[in-house]
Structures are given as C-alpha cells and as structure tokens.
Amino acid sequence: MTTPGETTVTRTDGLTSAEVAERVSRGAVNRLSERTSRSLGQIVRANVLTRFNAILGALFVLVLVTGSLADGLFGIVLVVNSAIGIAQEYLAKRKLDRLALLHAPTTRVVRDGQVQVVATTDVVQDDLVELRTGDQVPADGALVTSAGLELHEANLTGESDAVAHGEGDEILSGTTVVAGSGRLHARLVGADAYVNRVAADARRFTRTRSEIQASIDTLLRYITWVIVAALPLAIWSQWRTVGDQGWRQVVIRSAAGVVGLVPEGLVLLTSVAFLLSAVQLTRRRVLVQQLPAVEGLARVDVVCLDKTGTLTAGDIAFEDVCVLPGHAADETRCALGALADDPDANGTLAAIRSAVESPGWTRVHAVPFSSARKWSAASFAGGATWVLGAPEVLLGAGQPTTESTALRARVGELAEAGRRVVLLARSEEPLEAPTLPSDLAPAALVTLTEQVRPDARRTLDYFREQGVAVKVFSGDNPVTVAAVARAVGLEAAEPLDARSLPDDDAAVRDALRAHTVFGRVTPEQKRAFVRALQADGHVVAMTGDGVNDALALKDADIGVAMGSGAQATRAVAELVLLDDSFAHLPDVLAEGRRVIGNVERVANLFVAKNAMSLVAILAAALTAVPFPFLPRHLTLVSAVTIGIPAFFLALGPNRRRYLPGFLRRILRFAVPAGAVAGVAVIVSYLLAGSRYGVPVDEFATRCAVEAGVHTVSGVACSRPGSGATITLLTVFFWILAVLARPFRPWKAALLAAMVALAVGAFLVPAAAAFFDLDAPLPLVWQSLAIGIVGAAVVEVVYRTSPSVHAAHLLPD
C-alpha cells in the first residue's frame, strides 16, 4: 500500500494486485475497442448485407411470388454462398486470432515489487512500466528513472533524430526506445493515450495495397452501373415480348437476365482464397497480420535484408580479444567485462558478457548503444572512461596516424574473413554527454563470429531464379557483410560504406542500382534506401528484427519481422516469421502467386458470364424475343461452368509468376469471350425456335405460362431455351478449359466431372423436368455446332491477346 507522502508515481514497488484489479474493474486498462479482425457480427453483415445480395434477394422474392420455385434456385445458391463465406471466414479468424494472441506484444511492469511480463493490453493506469531498447512506449506518462533512455519520436513529431529523456520527462505512447532503459509511470492508457487519441495510424503500418482487391472493387463498380442500366431495359423488352402472358413471365425472364449480371461468388472466393492462404502460412510458422500482404509479397521485385538474423542465425558468439600494445591485458579485459555488464545489453555486449567475467566496477555515467551512434560507453568510479563501438567510427574521431592506419588494415583483414570486429578504446576524460571523448586511445580489438543460416543460400537462389533482386543493408563493416553475403552465394563484388553516401536522392538511387551490399547503414538510411527503390518503380519488401529496422519496415511495401525481434519492429510488419526462419519467405511468395493467379482465373469466369448476360439482354431487346433462359437454366450453367470449378481453381496450386495488369487482362479476355457466348446463345435460340420449337414471331401468342412451366403441344416452348443452354454450356466449358491451362490431371478430372453433371441434367428425366430441358437429337447437334463455333472464336480471342496468352502459358 501507499505510505504517507508516497504516491503511485514515486513508489518503486509498483501497484499491488488489489490496486490492479480495482483499475481493471473501472476500465482503466490499455485496451481499445478497435479489432485486428472482424467480429462474428461484422463477418455476417459483410457476407449478407451486400448490394448484389440485395439485388438477388429482391429478385428471389419476386420469382417466388410468381410460384415458380424451380426458378428461385439461385436464391438457395445465394444463401449457401453466404453461409460458406461466413463459416470459412469465422474458422480462419479463430485460428489467426489465437495465433495473434499467442504472439501479441508484451510489456514489463513492476507489480508487488516484482518485474512481471504482461500483455500490453493489460497495462493499467498508474502501472510502473519498465522500458528497454526495442520497446514501444505503451502509455503516456513521466519517467521515474532513466539510464540514457532515448526515444525515436518520428511517428509523432516527424523528427528523425533520437531524443534523450531524463527522469521526470513526460513521454508519449507510440514512440520507440532506441537506446538505454528506464521506468515509466503510466498516467494515460487506452483510448486516453496520445497515440490513440490523435494518431492511431502512427502505431501501425499503412494498410497494404492489394491489386486484387482494388481490381475487384473496380469491377464491381462497373458491374453495378451495368445492372442499373440493364434492369429497366430487360423489364421493358420482356414486357414487350411476353407481357401479354402476364406479369409472372415478365418477372421470370427479366430476373434471368439480371441474375446473369451478378457475380455472386466472386467476392466470396476472393476472400476465402486470402483467408485460407493466411491459415496455410500459419502452419508454416508465418503470422499474416494483414491479409493482402500474402498477395503483396508476390508482387515484390526487390527484397532488402539485414545481415544479422537473416543471412546469419543472429546468435553472436565471442571469439577473442586482442589487446593492443601499451595497454594492460588484465585491465582491458576487466573494462570489457564491466561494459558488458549491462542489463540492457545489445547482442554484441550479451555475447561478450557470456564469455568475459565482470569485475563489478561501479558505473558513474553511461551512454547506451544506439544504431545511429554505433558505440556505447561508460565511466567507472575511480577509473577511466571506456568506449566500445565500430572501429571506423572510433578511429575517425581523431587525426590519422601510423598506428590508426595499421589498425584499420588489421580490421579490414578480419572483416574480409567474415569476423565482426569492434574496438575498445580508453579515455581519461569524464563521460558527460552522448559525444565521443576527444582523447580516445585504442586499447583492444574484439572479434565475434556469426553462424550463417544453413537455409540462406537456398532461399537466395530461389529469389534469383524468380527474378527478385536482393539488397543487403547492415550496420556492420561493409567488408564483413560482403564476406557473409558471398558465403551464401550472393554476388557482392563491391560493398559500399553507406557513410560515404551524400544526402542526395539521385546519388542514393544510383548507388542502389550499382551495389548489392551496404555496410554501416543507419536506420534513417535504411528508410531512405527503401524510398529510393520505390521511387525507381520497385515493389520493396524489407526484413529485419531490430528496432533499427522498424522505420524501413514501416515504409516498405511489405514489412517482414522476425518473431524474436523488437516489439516495435513486429508491430509495424505485415508478416512475422514466428520461428525466425528466413526460409519461409519463398512459401509466402508461392502463396501470393497462387492467390493472384487463381483469383484471376476465377474473375475471368464471372466477368465472362456478366458480359454474356448483357449481350443476351441487348440482343433480346433488339430482336424482340424473350430472354433465352429461365433463371433455372443459368443456375445450372453457373454451377457447372463457374461456381463449382471456380471453388477448386481458386484453392488449387498455381506457381505462375506475378505479371502486372490483373484487371486489364481480365477485361481483354473475359468481355470479348462473354460477348461471343452471348451472340452464340441468341443465334442458337432463334434457330431452335424456328426449326424445333415454336417460331419466335408466334411465341408470345402460342406459349402460355403456368407457374413458370411452358406448355403447348408437349414441351415445344422449352426447346429454344434448351438449345440455347446447350450452346452456352459448350462455349463456357471451353472458356473454363482455356483458363485452366496448363492442364494437369486434377483439372482434366474436374472438367470431365462438370461435363458429366451437365449431360446428366439433360438425360436424367427428373433433372430434365426440373430444369425444364427438352432437346431432340437434331437440336442437340445444331446447338453443339453453334457452341463449337463460339468456342473456336473464344480460342482466337485468347490467342490474339498476347498478355493473357502468355500469362496462362506460365507453369503452375
């Protein structure tokens, strides 16, 4: 409990369990109402309350009012589609949410006098939060203690330089600790915190751009306007043609035309493809934080890597310390152990600490390591100041001498051998600010080793085969980075020291075109490199694990973080490699390509049907004939040539490389192919009516409608529609065959099964009666002949569209 004169701000033992429970009960917690995935209610609404469902639902009710239940079959399909979409998304959501919860960000808090790790959402008001390098600040408040704590506040202020904060300073949520450590009194949490109050998007990456979703949205917009224009035309033409038979026939025929214009399963299959890809990737230990990222990585043509944790295993091992002449070996080794004895040690210091014993010296002042400075330092009671950092940085602080030149040469030799080298230097000046002392004297070279990942070469070979360029950005010595890059098969003939680059966009872009490996790269430079590549027209993926990678990940088209990486880095990434295995990136690339290629195939099928219906509506209006189909006919055709095959094609394997122009290719093939099908249908309908059924000019007077079933001298009135259905099936089976290329046994089996179902609908008496089909053998041959001609024209359309043809010839 709080003692007299003490508050929750000044207490060093943090809140008690009872105080935490009291704050939770009144809602003073760090939770927000926003969700990372849709709730069940939102899923249901998204799958049910759509404009196309509204159109189909209204038509379904009207058809039911006519008494023709068979022609309302499309309504049942609509319900089934929505139910499948809801079930699939909900099951996928549960899996992804459980995994996301398992890997949710955590925060260290002091409670009941003990440091505890809790979910960031469980931080409560007045908690004493312990901050370390790589943490995101979870709440607003004042620093109770600070040990060289520095924050990157670009998310909130736009300033790129780290800002030092001392005890008593107010700091804001959403900022990132880039150096040092400290303890924070959490004054404002949850919705009251600054980052949630004014800049919720500052904490997370901008929504990933999805070419597929943007293209589908554009298609749906076009189709909506087509329906708005075609609906009154369909009603007018059918009223003029069959209006004397009563309103029921007008409703049924008009509904058939409009139902054909609605791509009822396109959005469903696109969503399911994304979701199931995300679930599939979780089985490979890849957490997808934004679904479009699966597609996005397939569009990437440049992958930017950090050496440590990506090309190497990330576990740095201490190798040796070489004490330089003029320095006592014992004192130098003790100084190294004292510097490594840091509760907020980075990877280098942690490796040294595991091998060099600390002498227990008392620190007077310290400057923590930061990626921007590339050094850390400490002054000790009764002793000197010791600095540990990059040799180039520490040696560059003074005038070149014979000794420093020789030392640089030695560092170069070690770096070429793939060693990581840091320099230990001594100064007699007190350490009073985060600036290097002026009298630094090199005392020892410390060498460390990193293990190259066994799967790195195979992964880089895969990217090279797929035409994806690789760039390596590292804070280490460029010679060391190049040695590691060569060890994994990457061409790194001329590594570049990023410190030599001017602050000029054109120079940076030229350097990126000419070089593959960059060393001594600062966090801000990584960000500039990503932007320069994007300015050159590249789609960029950035991988990383440290807080120094967060800015670049945030700006990249796709950010990929290691599961063991800094909290700030994981928070801005679209993909998290949970087991830190860089080898999973080809899996993600393959999933993205599968989604893009398969959704393109599916979209072609739906758009071709829409184009066919529009042409049929226009032709029926111009020739003053009834719409060629009843709704039940289109339900049959849609099921066997689009709906069922599309489901399998959307989820099947596909290794086709990504090609830009998704929407353009769809429109260049599907619209002409659908128009061909529409013309073939009208020709078939007119010929069938004049030769095997009731002549077109007599249809309105001789065909009566009873509950939507045609009767006159047997079933003669159903023959034109049956012939048109055979023709449409023929053309659309060929469209399906074109889009399924290149053929595989499972695709051939799928196509054969669908043809068998279609034939069964004509041959099985109960099915023929239900679908109102009657086709004498001569009519079958005539309709097939027209359909074959239409299929041949579709083949010509396909082969004269170079980009479409090339896309589907790529192997899958």
Side-chain angles (χ1 to χ4, degrees):
M1 297 297 292
T2 304
T3 58
E6 189 179 40
T7 68
T8 54
V9 179
T10 59
R11 279 169 38 192
T12 58
D13 58 351
L15 299 177
T16 65
S17 299
E19 288 170 332
V20 171
E22 185 274 329
R23 284 160 175 77
V24 171
S25 67
R26 58 182 169 89
V29 293
N30 209 32
R31 296 191 183 99
L32 293 175
S33 59
E34 67 179 68
R35 294 174 177 265
T36 56
S37 63
R38 296 195 289 197
S39 66
L40 179 58
Q42 290 172 323
I43 291 173
V44 171
R45 286 194 294 273
N47 283 275
V48 174
L49 302 181
T50 68
R51 57 179 176 269
F52 292 127
N53 281 1
I55 293 170
L56 291 177
L59 293 174
F60 178 59
V61 172
L62 288 174
V63 170
L64 289 183
V65 171
T66 68
S68 181
L69 297 180
D71 285 317
L73 186 61
F74 69 88
I76 297 174
V77 174
L78 174 67
V79 172
V80 171
N81 268 349
S82 296
I84 291 173
I86 291 168
Q88 290 277 22
E89 183 169 352
Y90 180 67
L91 292 175
K93 161 195 158 55
R94 289 184 59 191
K95 291 180 181 178
L96 293 174
D97 282 355
R98 282 199 296 266
L99 192 60
L101 182 62
L102 183 63
H103 294 274
T106 58
T107 299
R108 285 173 293 274
V109 296
V110 180
R111 292 177 180 173
D112 295 317
Q114 301 292 323
V115 176
Q116 304 176 18
V117 178
V118 301
T120 300
T121 53
D122 290 337
V123 173
V124 301
Q125 188 177 33
D126 296 324
D127 250 330
L128 186 58
V129 178
E130 185 168 287
L131 298 173
R132 297 180 188 174
T133 302
D135 289 348
Q136 269 196 326
V137 179
D140 299 353
L143 284 173
V144 179
T145 64
S146 172
L149 186 124
E150 297 180 20
L151 297 179
H152 194 286
E153 301 177 345
N155 283 352
L156 303 181
T157 66
E159 292 293 333
S160 60
D161 294 335
V163 180
H165 288 278
E167 182 178 328
D169 286 0
E170 288 282 336
I171 63 174
L172 300 176
S173 53
T175 53
T176 302
V177 181
V178 294
S181 60
R183 288 188 173 182
L184 166 75
H185 167 245
R187 182 171 54 84
L188 296 176
V189 296
D192 294 329
Y194 180 81
V195 71
N196 302 319
R197 208 167 58 241
V198 300
D201 62 338
R203 296 170 296 107
R204 60 175 59 197
F205 196 85
T206 307
R207 300 303 296 176
T208 307
R209 178 185 174 272
S210 167
E211 183 184 8
I212 287 181
Q213 290 183 340
S215 299
I216 296 298
D217 288 344
T218 301
L219 271 177
L220 296 182
R221 226 172 20 249
Y222 292 163
I223 292 169
T224 300
W225 286 112
V226 168
I227 292 174
V228 169
L231 180 58
L233 177 62
I235 295 173
W236 172 78
S237 68
Q238 298 311 296
W239 183 267
R240 185 180 62 160
T241 307
V242 296
D244 58 341
Q245 299 174 38
W247 64 271
R248 288 183 175 84
Q249 179 68 359
V250 175
V251 168
I252 291 172
R253 293 280 174 174
S254 301
V258 176
V259 165
L261 290 173
V262 178
E264 64 271 12
L266 178 57
V267 176
L268 164 68
L269 287 172
T270 302
S271 300
V272 168
F274 272 124
L275 283 164
L276 294 187
S277 289
V279 172
Q280 179 68 20
L281 287 172
T282 62
R283 299 192 181 106
R284 298 171 183 171
R285 307 300 295 160
V286 179
L287 174 61
V288 180
Q289 304 202 112
Q290 291 187 34
L291 290 180
V294 177
E295 168 209 342
L297 194 59
R299 294 189 287 109
V300 162
D301 61 356
V302 177
V303 174
C304 303
L305 311 173
D306 185 20
K307 174 181 66 70
T308 305
T310 305
L311 299 182
T312 62
D315 296 326
I316 305 169
F318 174 82
E319 184 182 61
D320 195 13
V321 54
C322 176
V323 179
L324 299 177
H327 294 272
D330 290 343
E331 182 190 27
T332 302
R333 195 172 183 89
C334 286
L336 190 62
L339 281 173
D341 188 13
D342 185 346
D344 195 34
N346 62 3
T348 299
L349 288 176
I352 295 172
R353 184 174 57 195
S354 66
V356 180
E357 185 177 352
S358 171
W361 293 356
T362 302
R363 293 186 178 218
V364 176
H365 190 68
V367 175
F369 176 84
S370 80
S371 298
R373 281 191 299 268
K374 302 193 182 303
W375 58 268
S376 61
S379 296
F380 299 95
T385 294
W386 294 87
V387 182
L388 184 71
E392 304 94 309
V393 175
L394 302 190
L395 292 175
Q399 293 296 323
T401 62
T402 304
E403 291 77 10
S404 66
T405 301
L407 195 55
R408 288 177 191 273
R410 178 56 182 156
V411 169
E413 292 171 2
L414 292 169
E416 285 180 358
R419 302 292 193 274
R420 173 181 282 199
V421 186
V422 291
L423 176 65
L424 178 66
R426 176 190 173 112
S427 169
E428 298 302 328
E429 295 180 3
L431 190 63
E432 297 178 351
T435 55
L436 284 172
S438 60
D439 63 339
L440 281 180
L445 287 178
V446 181
T447 55
L448 304 105
T449 59
E450 295 180 86
Q451 182 181 359
V452 174
R453 285 185 179 274
D455 50 22
R457 177 182 286 271
R458 184 172 65 252
T459 303
L460 293 178
D461 287 344
Y462 175 83
F463 282 130
R464 184 165 47 249
E465 292 166 3
Q466 300 301 316
V468 178
V470 175
K471 303 289 183 183
V472 181
F473 306 150
S474 176
D476 283 351
N477 186 307
V479 179
T480 301
V481 182
V484 173
R486 293 188 195 100
V488 295
L490 197 62
E491 294 182 7
E494 193 177 342
L496 184 67
D497 190 324
R499 294 175 301 164
S500 65
L501 283 174
D503 293 329
D504 177 65
D505 291 343
V508 170
R509 291 166 71 174
D510 289 341
L512 287 165
R513 295 188 194 108
H515 299 273
T516 298
V517 174
F518 297 80
R520 297 305 180 204
V521 183
T522 65
E524 197 59 40
Q525 281 181 312
K526 288 186 180 183
R527 190 180 198 181
F529 289 175
V530 167
R531 290 175 174 175
L533 288 167
Q534 291 169 329
D536 263 356
H538 295 291
V539 181
V540 182
M542 177 73 198
T543 70
D545 59 351
V547 66
N548 59 313
D549 300 319
L551 291 174
L553 262 70
K554 189 176 181 66
D555 284 347
D557 296 283
I558 299 295
V560 183
M562 301 296 172
S564 62
Q567 175 185 322
T569 307
R570 298 196 309 270
V572 299
E574 286 87 5
L575 300 172
V576 180
L577 306 179
L578 299 176
D579 58 1
D580 293 350
S581 177
F582 174 57
H584 291 316
L585 282 185
D587 294 333
V588 182
L589 185 66
E591 276 297 313
R593 289 179 172 177
R594 188 179 70 81
V595 169
I596 291 177
N598 288 343
V599 170
E600 182 174 331
R601 284 172 170 163
V602 168
N604 270 295
L605 289 172
F606 283 101
V607 175
K609 184 192 76 166
N610 301 148
M612 179 279 301
S613 293
L614 179 60
V615 170
I617 289 173
L618 294 173
L622 291 173
T623 56
V625 298
F627 188 75
F629 307 108
L630 296 173
R632 69 188 79 175
H633 295 152
L634 283 181
T635 299
L636 171 64
V637 174
S638 295
V640 298
T641 66
I642 301 174
I644 299 173
F647 181 80
F648 288 98
L649 288 177
L651 303 180
N654 192 329
R655 294 189 297 275
R656 195 189 85 192
R657 290 187 185 183
Y658 166 76
L659 293 174
F662 176 87
L663 181 57
R664 183 178 65 254
R665 282 196 303 275
I666 290 174
L667 296 178
R668 288 189 64 176
F669 173 74
V671 172
V676 169
V679 172
V681 160
I682 288 297
V683 171
S684 179
Y685 186 79
L686 292 173
L687 289 177
S690 61
R691 297 186 61 186
Y692 301 102
V694 176
V696 172
D697 58 356
E698 299 179 20
F699 188 95
T701 57
R702 293 182 56 194
C703 288
V705 178
E706 297 176 2
V709 179
H710 303 269
T711 59
V712 57
S713 303
V715 287
C717 284
S718 69
R719 287 178 179 174
S722 301
T725 302
I726 292 172
T727 298
L728 183 61
L729 283 167
T730 304
V731 177
F732 260 82
F733 274 131
W734 194 254
I735 292 174
L736 177 61
V738 164
L739 295 173
R741 296 173 188 173
F743 264 106
R744 296 289 181 266
W746 71 271
K747 294 178 184 176
L750 174 64
L751 186 59
M754 295 302 100
V755 171
L757 283 177
V759 171
F762 283 85
L763 297 182
V764 177
F770 178 82
F771 287 108
D772 194 16
L773 299 171
D774 173 59
L777 194 58
L779 175 60
V780 172
W781 291 119
Q782 174 183 288
S783 303
L784 277 174
I786 297 171
I788 290 171
V789 172
V793 178
V794 167
E795 182 70 22
V796 172
V797 170
Y798 167 67
R799 290 186 178 276
T800 54
S801 300
S803 62
V804 178
H805 188 212
H808 290 99
L809 284 181
L810 292 171
D812 68 357

